[in-house]
């Protein structure tokens, strides 16, 4: 019997008597809960196929999280936190096995400040439930991933970056979104710490490598009943011009997505017929609909008013955007994968250059975002998969064209981001996880520290 399995058995014996911890031990549960949505990347599919947790544990409350952290620390067993498991880069895949900790029972909304709208919530709260609850109090989440119906708020802050709302609110790591955290450290005697915003930032988008988040303090926005619009444009240049005109207007927007025409036939039927044009999808405040119509008329575009969003229904226009576009195309044809980048300006020149080189092996999907105060175009182009070398070549061409790439085919925080080590993230790991047991293998700066 291996030392590893002896250690795990001993850990299990310690934990089994704890009534605050629920075990999922069925081998199919172990496999299922050791995966996320990394299969969007053929590169990661190969790398992660064999990774599996030894134990899956669901703590009932924060005190149980502390006992679990203490036991893992004493037995030197890795612990990987898992929210809803919708991350795209194997973010919650336990590379070195050990324990996968589910946050689903930690879902209390602890407080909403009636004056500031700041909400304090536990990490396992589903974003859909949180958003609906906030709406009953006149507020809403500022930023949501297109997986908002299933994703957890802790998983979004630890693993996500932006999405619906990014046209107004930029990205999660922009100052002003995350206002504080409660964190449990990974030590023999875990501490439960309250971190102010400037210390919390180091855990924002750190894949759970440098602390177990047990509560988050987030800014919210006044609730709006967003209106859904679909606009078909005859040419790509017109569509991009209209997208930018909307983004730069004084219209209150929650989402502006542009899909190249060949993508439309792969969207679900409920999204409407594919015409000859490229399609813009917008969430706009009710007082902005007539202004969008005016801008659409000026670009000879055809606007369809799909009415107010039904957030209680199963699907809406939101579920055609961000990485849901990739999901729909891959459902029709899994030989497609994707990239993520911020386009350089002027955007049309860069896209034309890449189109010339890559033809229809690249289909454009754009999202308007606010980046450092300006409206910019992010791209999540669909890419016809052939092999890792061609993907690398394409990424190099994108960089040469001036794009900032966020590679979705890599495992570490740094390589999926700007490529550089964030010293604050590494310092936080030293402080909150000194033995390096949290989600090992995902923070490159930790492996490379001197
Ligand atoms: C179709 C599709 C569309 C998507 N669209 C978007 C999008 O628009 N924007 C976007 O940003 N992302 C998007 N994603 C990625 C993902 O869905 C989101 O980031 C989502 O918010 C992750 O939440 P989760 O609960 O599933 O997190 P998980 O996948 O469970 O976890 C994500 C990371 O957070 C860590 N973590 C979770 N909880 C904690 C905690 N309490 N303490 C410490 N670490 C923790 C995990 O260890 C993991 O590293 C998309 C994915 C898919 C498949």
């Amino acid at each position: 019997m291996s030392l590893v399995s002896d250690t795990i058995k001993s850990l299990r014996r310690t934990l089994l008597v704890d009534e605050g911890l629920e075990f999922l031990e069925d081998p199919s549960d172990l496999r299922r809960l050791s995966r996320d949505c990394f299969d969007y990347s053929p590169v990661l599919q190969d790398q992660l196929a064999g990774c599996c947790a030894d134990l899956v544990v669901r703590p009932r409350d924060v005190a149980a999280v502390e006992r679990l952290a203490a036991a893992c620390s004493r037995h030197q067993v890795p612990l990987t936190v898992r929210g809803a498991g919708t991350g795209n880069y194997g973010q919650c895949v336990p590379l070195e096995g050990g324990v996968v900790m589910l946050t689903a029972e930690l879902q209390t909304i602890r407080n909403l400040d009636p004056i500031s709208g700041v909400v304090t919530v536990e990490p396992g709260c589903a974003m859909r439930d949180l958003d609906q609850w906030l709406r009953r109090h006149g507020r809403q989440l500022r930023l949501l991933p297109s997986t908002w119906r299933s994703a957890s708020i802790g998983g979004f802050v630890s693993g996500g970056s932006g999405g619906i709302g990014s046209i107004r609110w930029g990205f999660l790591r922009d100052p002003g979104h995350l206002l504080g955290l409660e964190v449990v450290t990974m030590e023999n005697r875990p501490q439960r710490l309250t971190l102010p915003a400037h210390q919390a930032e180091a855990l924002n988008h750190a894949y759970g490598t440098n602390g177990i988040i047990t509560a988050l303090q987030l800014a919210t926005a006044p609730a709006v009943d967003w209106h859904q619009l679909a606009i078909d444009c005859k040419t790509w240049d017109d569509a991009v011009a209209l997208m930018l005109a909307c983004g730069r207007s004084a219209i209150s927007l929650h989402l502006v997505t542009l899909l190249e025409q060949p993508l439309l036939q792969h969207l679900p039927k409920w999204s409407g017929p594919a015409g000859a044009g490229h399609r813009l999808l917008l969430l706009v405040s009710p007082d902005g609909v007539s202004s969008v119509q005016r801008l659409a008329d000026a670009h000879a575009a055809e606007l369809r008013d799909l009415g107010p969003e039904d957030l209680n229904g199963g699907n809406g226009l939101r579920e055609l955007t961000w990485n849901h576009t990739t999901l729909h195309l891959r459902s029709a044809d899994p030989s497609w994968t994707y990239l993520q980048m911020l386009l350089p300006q002027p955007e049309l020149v860069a896209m034309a250059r890449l189109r010339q080189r890559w033809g229809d092996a690249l289909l454009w999907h754009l999202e308007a975002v606010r980046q450092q105060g300006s409206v910019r175009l992010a791209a999540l182009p669909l890419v016809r998969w052939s092999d890792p070398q061609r993907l690398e070549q394409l990424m190099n061409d994108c960089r040469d064209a001036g794009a900032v790439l966020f590679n979705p085919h890599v495992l570490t925080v740094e390589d999926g981001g700007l490529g550089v080590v964030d010293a604050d993230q590494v310092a936080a790991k030293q402080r909150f996880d000194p033995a390096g047991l949290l989600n090992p293998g995902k923070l490159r700066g930790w492996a490379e520290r001197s």
Side-chain angles (χ1 to χ4, degrees):
M1 192 177 298
S2 74
L3 184 65
V4 173
S5 61
D6 278 351
T7 308
I8 294 292
K9 280 185 177 168
S10 158
L11 173 71
R12 185 175 175 281
R13 269 197 305 275
T14 311
L15 295 174
L16 261 182
V17 293
D18 190 323
E19 290 188 350
L21 298 173
E22 187 189 340
F23 283 77
L24 285 87
E25 303 205 72
D26 192 281
S28 65
D29 284 336
L30 292 183
R31 280 194 300 276
R32 179 174 60 83
L33 297 167
S34 298
R35 295 177 58 84
D36 62 8
C37 296
F38 63 77
D39 56 344
Y40 288 34
S41 163
V43 179
L44 295 181
Q45 275 176 34
D46 288 347
Q47 287 178 30
L48 297 177
C51 298
C52 194
D54 296 292
L55 285 177
V56 175
V57 183
R58 184 158 46 208
R60 300 228 161 88
D61 53 29
V62 178
V65 173
E66 290 172 321
R67 295 193 296 276
L68 176 62
C72 287
S73 173
R74 287 187 189 130
H75 287 80
Q76 292 290 290
V77 169
L79 183 146
T80 301
V81 185
R82 179 186 174 93
T86 66
N88 282 116
Y89 328 123
Q91 288 168 324
C92 59
V93 174
L95 298 183
E96 297 181 15
V99 170
V100 163
M101 183 196 110
L102 308 182
T103 61
E105 293 282 311
L106 310 170
Q107 49 175 267
T108 306
I109 300 171
R110 292 187 186 170
N111 185 47
L112 175 65
D113 184 311
I115 308 292
S116 64
V118 173
V119 70
T120 306
V121 59
E122 293 185 354
C125 187
M127 294 187 73
R128 174 193 177 127
D129 296 344
L130 178 57
D131 195 59
Q132 301 282 44
W133 185 89
L134 286 169
R135 281 173 178 278
R136 291 198 288 279
H137 294 79
R139 309 292 299 182
Q140 63 164 73
L141 285 169
R142 288 176 168 187
L143 292 170
L144 305 106
S146 58
T147 47
W148 70 288
R149 288 178 208 265
S150 49
S152 69
I153 188 67
F156 185 47
V157 170
S158 305
S161 51
I164 299 149
S166 282
I167 175 65
R168 166 67 183 85
W169 295 106
F171 292 90
L172 265 173
R173 290 204 78 185
D174 293 346
H177 291 309
L178 179 62
L179 302 178
L181 286 177
E182 179 188 270
V183 176
V184 167
T185 64
M186 189 70 170
E187 297 175 285
N188 290 358
R189 291 177 177 209
Q191 307 170 64
R192 192 187 303 189
L193 304 172
T194 303
L195 307 181
H198 70 282
Q199 291 177 16
E201 277 312 324
L203 283 80
N204 192 341
H205 200 74
Y207 296 7
T209 55
N210 55 10
I212 304 171
I213 298 170
T214 49
L216 307 98
Q217 249 192 342
L218 294 161
T220 62
V224 175
D225 289 327
W226 299 104
H227 212 89
Q228 309 179 105
L229 302 179
I231 307 177
D232 285 354
C233 301
K234 290 195 186 75
T235 71
W236 184 247
D237 288 14
D238 274 344
V240 172
L242 177 55
M243 182 178 204
L244 287 168
C246 290
R248 291 171 182 156
S249 71
I251 303 164
S252 180
L253 297 160
H254 203 31
L255 182 74
V256 182
T257 304
L258 174 56
L259 303 176
E260 200 179 352
Q261 196 279 335
L263 286 171
L264 303 180
Q265 59 186 301
H266 300 297
L267 296 184
K269 288 211 168 46
W270 56 260
S271 73
H278 310 288
R279 186 165 295 166
L280 277 161
L281 302 171
L282 284 88
L283 290 178
V284 56
S285 64
D287 63 1
V289 175
S290 59
S291 302
V292 175
Q293 177 73 69
R294 197 151 55 85
L295 290 176
D297 291 345
H299 289 79
E302 191 187 327
L303 182 147
R304 270 182 306 136
D305 187 341
L306 306 174
E309 277 193 296
D310 174 11
L311 295 177
N312 297 312
N315 282 303
L317 181 146
R318 295 170 179 225
E319 274 84 15
L320 303 174
T321 68
W322 289 88
N323 225 6
H324 264 73
T325 312
T326 317
L327 178 150
H328 294 305
L329 182 58
R330 283 181 45 79
S331 309
D333 180 353
S335 67
W336 288 88
T337 183
Y338 74 114
L339 284 178
Q340 304 174 139
M341 66 187 88
L342 188 67
L343 289 173
Q345 294 167 306
E347 297 85 354
L348 283 170
V349 175
M351 285 188 281
R353 187 169 151 186
L354 288 162
R355 168 52 45 84
Q356 201 177 19
R357 172 95 204 258
W358 290 88
D360 55 13
L362 197 63
L363 294 176
W364 288 108
H365 158 203
L366 308 185
E367 298 286 349
V369 298
R370 188 163 300 269
Q371 210 253 351
Q372 296 186 342
S374 304
V375 175
R376 296 287 300 271
L377 299 185
L380 291 85
L382 284 305
V383 175
R384 172 74 76 185
W385 170 251
S386 55
D387 57 60
Q389 292 73 27
R390 266 183 76 75
L391 184 68
E392 203 56 47
Q393 181 59 57
L394 171 60
M395 288 193 285
N396 286 336
D397 286 354
C398 294
R399 291 187 191 103
D400 288 348
V404 180
L405 218 79
F406 303 96
N407 186 352
H409 303 279
V410 287
L411 287 174
T412 65
V413 174
E414 294 89 346
D415 295 319
L418 290 175
V420 293
V421 169
D422 177 341
D424 290 344
Q425 288 189 331
V426 180
K429 188 167 176 74
Q430 185 64 55
R431 186 172 161 212
F432 304 140
D433 176 30
L437 293 170
L438 286 175
N439 207 354
K442 305 281 173 57
L443 194 67
R444 179 156 61 77
W446 179 255
E448 291 173 355
R449 74 196 185 285
S450 53

